[in-house]
């Protein structure tokens, strides 16, 4: 019998979506894995209705492919699709970062510094599932001063797709130290107001991550 997963009874779909999303991003639910509604209902000790609603919302986010009466599968991207996700991220993030740097205030730098500490602590503690959201938050704070809500909304979807690969990449390749150094350099360049240097560093950071993720995934699938 499946282990029960306790959830708060208010807003069941919200709670189940958040839990399933984290399980996907952490790799607990692997790409291509079949998710059956009846099994999830038993696992979360709820009816199928909130399960169905949760899966539909994750489908809208692109994390699962939902089919009525059949449940869902965790989205399995091709290598070309994964590369495209990172390319979209690069375009959007570089644009946001270059716009944000001249407008960044002390509060932005302080929050980024704290997030860097939290990211380091989460990795040292072996909590890779926490590292991914912290990484996403760090990038969001770097770009927040730009005030570009529409671009940020587009980036949120692309980042959600890529973050599960980034978290797995960090865990499997033991590459946190390099990523942490890149993040620190991005913050330093922003402090200096070096827009061109920061933009080039961000492109290099995302491109390097993309290539390493693709290499790891290609090898794992073989």
């Amino acid at each position: 019998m499946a282990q029960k997963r306790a959830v708060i009874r208010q807003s069941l779909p919200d709670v189940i979506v958040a839990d399933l999303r984290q399980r996907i991003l952490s790799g607990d639910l692997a790409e291509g894995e079949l998710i059956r509604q009846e099994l999830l209902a038993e696992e979360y000790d709820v009816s199928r209705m909130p399960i169905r609603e949760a899966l539909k919302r994750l489908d809208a986010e692109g994390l699962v492919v939902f089919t009525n009466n059949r449940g869902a599968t965790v989205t399995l991207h091709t290598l070309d699709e994964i590369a495209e996700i990172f390319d979209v991220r690069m375009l959007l993030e570089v644009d946001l970062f270059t716009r944000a740097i001249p407008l960044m205030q002390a509060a932005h730098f302080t929050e980024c510094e704290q997030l860097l500490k939290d990211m380091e602590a989460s990795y040292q503690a072996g909590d890779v599932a926490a590292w991914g959201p912290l990484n996403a938050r760090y990038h969001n704070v770097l770009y927040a001063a730009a005030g570009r809500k529409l671009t940020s909304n587009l980036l949120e979807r692309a980042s959600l797709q890529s973050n599960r690969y980034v978290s797995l990449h960090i865990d499997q390749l033991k590459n946190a130290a390099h990523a942490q150094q890149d993040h620190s350099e991005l913050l330093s360049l922003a402090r200096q107001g070096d827009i061109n240097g920061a933009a080039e560093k961000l492109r290099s950071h995302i491109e390097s991550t993309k290539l390493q993720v693709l290499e790891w995934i290609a090898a794992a699938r073989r």
Side-chain angles (χ1 to χ4, degrees):
M1 181 178 294
Q3 181 181 355
K4 304 297 185 185
R5 297 180 74 90
V7 296
I8 302 171
R9 293 297 171 178
Q10 301 94 320
S11 304
L12 276 174
D14 288 344
V15 177
I16 295 171
V17 163
D19 192 57
L20 286 174
R21 183 189 297 118
Q22 185 57 33
R23 292 171 70 183
I24 293 170
L25 295 179
S26 69
D28 180 43
L29 293 173
E31 56 181 6
E33 183 171 342
L34 179 63
I35 305 174
R36 294 192 179 278
Q37 293 183 53
E38 64 273 16
L39 295 181
L40 281 184
E42 180 182 354
E43 190 175 1
Y44 287 100
D45 197 19
V46 297
S47 70
R48 292 192 190 185
M49 186 173 297
I51 296 296
R52 187 178 300 110
E53 175 63 24
L55 291 175
K56 286 181 178 179
R57 286 163 61 176
L58 290 170
D59 178 88
E61 293 179 2
L63 291 177
V64 306
V65 178
F66 176 76
T67 306
N68 282 323
N69 303 319
R70 295 187 60 187
T73 56
V74 179
T75 302
L76 174 63
H77 290 111
T78 66
L79 293 179
D80 284 343
E81 288 170 340
I82 295 171
E84 185 177 355
I85 289 168
F86 281 93
D87 289 342
V88 169
R89 270 192 55 189
M90 187 186 301
L91 289 171
L92 297 176
E93 290 192 43
V94 170
D95 178 72
L96 286 172
F97 198 25
T98 55
R99 292 175 185 274
I101 289 174
L103 304 173
M104 291 178 75
Q105 303 294 321
H108 296 114
F109 295 118
T110 299
E111 187 171 0
C112 283
E113 288 170 352
Q114 184 58 53
L115 285 165
L116 283 175
K117 294 176 182 177
D118 293 343
M119 289 162 68
E120 176 66 20
S122 70
Y123 186 78
Q124 292 299 326
D127 189 1
V128 178
W131 190 94
L134 287 170
N135 175 58
R137 178 63 182 160
Y138 177 78
H139 281 269
N140 288 340
V141 176
L142 276 182
Y143 317 144
R148 306 277 286 188
K149 292 183 178 180
L150 293 178
T151 306
S152 296
N153 287 339
L154 292 173
L155 176 59
E156 183 179 1
R157 181 180 175 92
S159 295
L160 191 63
Q161 299 294 322
S162 67
N163 280 345
R164 60 178 171 141
Y165 298 115
V166 172
S167 294
L168 291 172
H169 151 66
I170 290 293
D171 185 33
Q172 296 295 327
L173 298 185
K174 310 298 181 186
N175 203 38
H178 182 71
Q180 196 77 354
Q181 181 180 347
D182 278 358
H183 289 143
S184 295
E185 289 182 18
L186 287 171
L187 186 58
S188 177
L189 290 165
R191 279 187 183 279
Q192 298 167 30
D194 186 351
I195 295 176
N196 291 333
E200 184 55 37
K201 183 62 184 179
L202 183 57
R203 289 190 190 95
S204 173
H205 172 66
I206 297 174
E207 181 69 17
S208 175
T209 302
K210 178 185 78 171
L211 294 176
Q212 291 182 66
V213 166
L214 289 173
E215 181 179 4
W216 178 81
I217 293 174
R221 289 181 179 179
R222 286 196 297 267

